[in-house]
């Protein structure tokens, strides 16, 4: 009588054989080939011939019931990321002064671990280029957190900065300026609407330098970014103003109609979107003042009034 474990093993083998090529024994031509996980062998169940030995078990060692348990029991570390200068392939010494059993270290061991951490931070960057990259990527991460953009934007911004560093585009320019320009370019490339004013607010360099650096690196790296669509700003501005879906739909319609008549050319996309939201709020009886809309969109009331008049005429209202 076979053991239940062997029956379960054979069932798992039969399920895998349906998806993969069926293995046969070269000695007796039997297809009863089972895997012995304890010995790491592939064995014929009829004649006992060992087909393969010392197989690598790529399965999990423990059972896991949620995401955190799977992460803690994983065979591998964190994935490679472009947001760190060494792509996350470095060794990290924990800041907790405890051993593997959770017991506190002695004063001598604590002093030794403090020295190890200090030297670990020093040797992570081997030259000036890596120190440049480390500082720039930390700036990108800080500004991205302040802007509330997703992690994909940080990855793209890090890649753009690495390309600029490899092409020697940083020479003669500030690290913060190029890092901010890379983040702004990443926002545009990923379709995350952030205006130049918003990016300049969280940066340590003036807006004029950011715009000049952005134009330079986009030209040199051939980024070929499309113009910003004002409709991308509508959901965020409307949400901050507490407006309904009806107002958002009407604002999108106003932008489409006025853009078809060529009114968008040469205009600021944030001001154009703000004027469309203001006009839509009036048409849908959810009135917001020009001052409220201007504060959210970070434009002037004069810009909203000028764009509003053009859009109303384009829609056929007087």
């Amino acid at each position: 009588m076979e053991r239940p474990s062997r029956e379960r093993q054979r069932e798992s083998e039969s399920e895998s054989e349906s998806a993969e090529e069926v293995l046969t024994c070269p000695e007796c031509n039997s297809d009863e080939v089972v895997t012995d996980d304890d010995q790491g062998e592939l064995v014929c169940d009829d004649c006992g011939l060992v087909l393969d030995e010392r197989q690598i078990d790529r399965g999990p060692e423990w059972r896991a019931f949620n995401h955190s348990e799977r992460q803690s029991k994983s065979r591998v570390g964190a994935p490679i990321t472009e947001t760190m200068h060494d792509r996350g392939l470095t060794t990290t010494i924990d800041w907790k002064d405890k051993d593997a059993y959770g017991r506190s270290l002695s004063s001598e061991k604590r002093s030794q671990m403090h020295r190890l951490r200090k030297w670990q931070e020093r040797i992570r960057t081997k030259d000036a280029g890596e120190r440049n990259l480390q500082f720039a990527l930390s700036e990108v991460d800080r500004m991205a957190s302040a802007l509330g953009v997703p992690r994909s934007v940080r990855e793209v911004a890090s890649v753009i900065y690495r390309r600029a560093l490899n092409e020697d585009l940083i020479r003669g320019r500030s690290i913060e300026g190029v890092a901010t320009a890379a983040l702004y370019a990443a926002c545009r490339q990923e379709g995350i609407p952030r205006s130049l004013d918003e990016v300049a607010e969280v940066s340590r360099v003036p807006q004029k330098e950011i715009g000049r650096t952005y134009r330079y690196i986009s030209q040199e790296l051939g980024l070929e970014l499309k113009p910003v669509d004002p409709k991308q700003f509508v959901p965020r501005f409307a949400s901050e103003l507490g407006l309904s879906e009806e107002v958002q739909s009407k604002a999108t319609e106003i932008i489409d109609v006025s853009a078809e008549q060529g009114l968008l050319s040469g205009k600021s996309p944030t001001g154009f979107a703000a004027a469309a939201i203001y006009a839509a709020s009036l048409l849908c009886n959810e009135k917001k003042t020009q001052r409220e809309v201007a504060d959210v969109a970070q434009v002037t009331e004069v810009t909203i009034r000028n764009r509003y008049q053009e859009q109303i005429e384009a829609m056929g209202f007087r």
Side-chain angles (χ1 to χ4, degrees):
M1 182 177 178
E2 290 186 339
R3 291 178 296 177
S5 60
R6 179 56 62 87
E7 292 178 0
R8 288 195 298 269
Q9 200 171 32
R10 188 175 297 168
E11 288 174 1
S12 64
E13 285 298 320
S14 61
E15 290 175 0
S16 63
E17 285 175 359
S18 61
E20 299 177 358
E21 184 180 352
V22 178
L23 295 174
T24 57
C25 175
E27 187 72 23
C28 63
N29 293 326
S30 172
D31 58 356
E32 296 294 329
V33 179
V34 295
T35 302
D36 187 353
D37 293 326
D38 295 332
Q39 302 296 328
E41 296 176 343
L42 204 62
V43 185
C44 175
D45 201 29
D46 288 343
C47 67
L49 178 69
V50 178
L51 278 70
D52 194 10
E53 61 180 350
R54 297 180 182 176
Q55 286 187 322
I56 299 174
D57 181 15
R58 293 181 171 83
E61 295 181 2
W62 308 276
R63 290 186 299 171
F65 301 98
N66 53 45
H67 179 70
S68 61
E69 287 187 5
R70 279 194 294 273
Q71 290 294 102
S72 63
K73 297 175 180 178
S74 174
R75 290 179 181 268
V76 297
I80 294 176
T81 174
E82 297 291 340
T83 58
M84 299 179 69
H85 74 282
D86 51 12
R87 292 183 169 87
L89 298 177
T90 186
T91 303
T92 303
I93 301 177
D94 198 359
W95 60 270
K96 297 178 183 177
D97 291 323
K98 295 182 182 296
D99 61 9
Y101 299 99
R103 296 175 300 203
S104 297
L105 301 177
S106 63
S107 59
E108 183 181 352
K109 284 290 184 183
R110 283 199 299 270
S111 177
Q112 181 183 4
M113 296 306 296
H114 176 71
R115 288 197 303 272
L116 287 174
R117 289 191 201 99
K118 183 166 62 176
W119 279 104
Q120 172 68 16
E121 287 299 318
R122 289 176 179 176
I123 65 175
R124 284 185 67 183
T125 53
K126 62 182 180 181
D127 53 24
E130 285 198 357
R131 286 193 293 272
N132 178 324
L133 193 59
Q134 184 180 29
F135 175 69
L137 296 183
S138 65
E139 278 293 292
V140 169
D141 194 59
R142 179 190 65 80
M143 292 184 291
S145 298
L147 289 172
V149 296
R151 186 160 189 84
S152 60
V153 175
R154 307 181 191 196
E155 294 280 351
V156 173
S158 302
V159 172
I160 292 174
Y161 188 88
R162 286 177 187 273
R163 289 182 59 193
L165 185 62
N166 293 334
E167 296 288 336
D168 200 23
L169 304 181
I170 316 295
R171 190 181 301 276
R173 292 170 179 81
S174 67
I175 298 175
E176 295 96 331
V178 180
T180 309
L183 180 60
Y184 177 65
C187 288
R188 292 190 58 172
Q189 190 167 326
E190 291 294 296
I192 306 296
R194 292 294 184 272
S195 65
L196 197 58
D197 293 330
E198 291 175 296
V199 176
E201 272 193 359
V202 300
S203 177
R204 295 192 175 103
V205 293
Q207 179 179 338
K208 186 176 181 180
E209 182 182 345
I210 297 172
R212 184 169 59 245
T213 308
Y214 161 73
R215 288 189 295 270
Y216 174 71
I217 66 171
S218 62
Q219 180 180 1
E220 292 295 323
L221 298 179
L223 298 181
E224 297 181 357
L225 300 172
K226 297 180 181 178
V228 179
D229 188 355
K231 290 185 291 186
Q232 294 179 342
F233 293 96
V234 171
R236 183 160 60 92
F237 290 169
S239 177
E240 292 182 17
L241 290 167
L243 298 172
S244 63
E245 291 285 340
E246 181 185 2
V247 176
Q248 295 186 36
S249 301
K250 193 66 177 178
T252 303
E253 180 187 349
I254 291 173
I255 292 174
D256 287 335
V257 172
S258 53
E260 287 177 359
Q261 300 185 19
L263 300 179
L264 180 57
S265 178
K267 305 296 192 303
S268 167
T270 52
F272 209 81
I277 290 174
Y278 173 69
S281 67
L282 296 180
L283 294 174
C284 298
N285 294 322
E286 297 183 31
K287 180 174 172 55
K288 294 291 180 181
T289 64
Q290 293 179 1
R291 180 73 267 168
E292 291 174 317
V293 180
D295 289 340
V296 169
Q298 295 183 341
V299 295
T300 62
E301 295 177 55
V302 177
T303 301
I304 292 181
R305 282 196 291 271
N306 292 338
R307 301 294 88 77
Y308 166 73
Q309 293 295 334
E310 297 170 357
Q311 291 170 354
I312 288 297
E313 292 178 3
M315 293 292 293
F317 299 115
R318 298 293 180 185

